[in-house]
Amino acid sequence: MAGVLTPISAVLNHVTTMPVHPTYFPYIIAPTLHASRISFVFQSLALPPQNGAAAPIRPSWPAYIIGYLIMCWGGTLVSHQLLNLTPPMLYSHHPYINYVVPHLTLSFLFYCFPTLLHGYPRALSTLLVPVDAILRTNAVISTLTLLESNPTVNPLIRTSPVAHIILGAIASAGGSTMAGTLSTWSPNWGMSTPPFLRNGSGIWGTLDIWGGSLAAVLYSCLTHHPAFSHFLKESSFSSFAPSAMPHAMSRSIVCLVFGSLFALRVWRTLWVSPTRPRPMIEKGKRKTQ
């Protein structure tokens, strides 16, 4: 197990501590990678392939930027609100630079080479599984860390297993859920049923939701968080982790589980099934993950 977890831990430590470039872009790799990954998803929805048909109406530039930021930051805004904390994008300009610059850069790239955006869906989805696992792991654990690092958080929330489950889901899929509910990639936004509550979402379409909750519970149990003390005493989980595991090892296990689930979803929905199930996000009134 150590032979598998050690390299995962090294990658996680690198992307969460090292800047993209110490001089030209001194922002941590993880949020920059997150910005780029969301930009790819957002553009694939906002700029659909024409397939010989008339060019679709595209969102205005303000909607194109703000809609993208909602998809990026929806989970952060909601989780901070629940924890009575001020999100950093309300008092610092750095998140805007860190997220808008990659979005505009990739927008120019896909404008010059549109095939990269829509030409290889199965290959790209498969190659991006490790990236998705790293980003979701970082999002969930960073949100759980807020419970312990901020004395202003209500102790009832800090010691509640339900709060861990809800925060894990919000950290993992809050942005995509908010964007899907508002259709922020479309020219005209509108309120609709949240994507995970729509008919046909299924187990794979809602993986981002329940996977985030599962990751939060798993990490809290591995680190023996007091919120799960009763569960650890009454279940056989303590035989797997009789004492609290270090943060790095627990985080690596969560990343491994996330990666396995995402890989299974890609394999099941893109490589095995003859037809794809309805995804987590729908494009306006049409089907589109």
Side-chain angles (χ1 to χ4, degrees), residues 7-33:
I8 295 177
S9 178
V11 171
L12 286 168
N13 182 67
H14 181 77
V15 301
T16 55
T17 58
M18 298 298 294
V20 176
H21 190 280
T23 303
Y24 299 112
F25 203 74
Y27 295 98
I28 301 300
I29 294 175
T32 308
L33 192 60

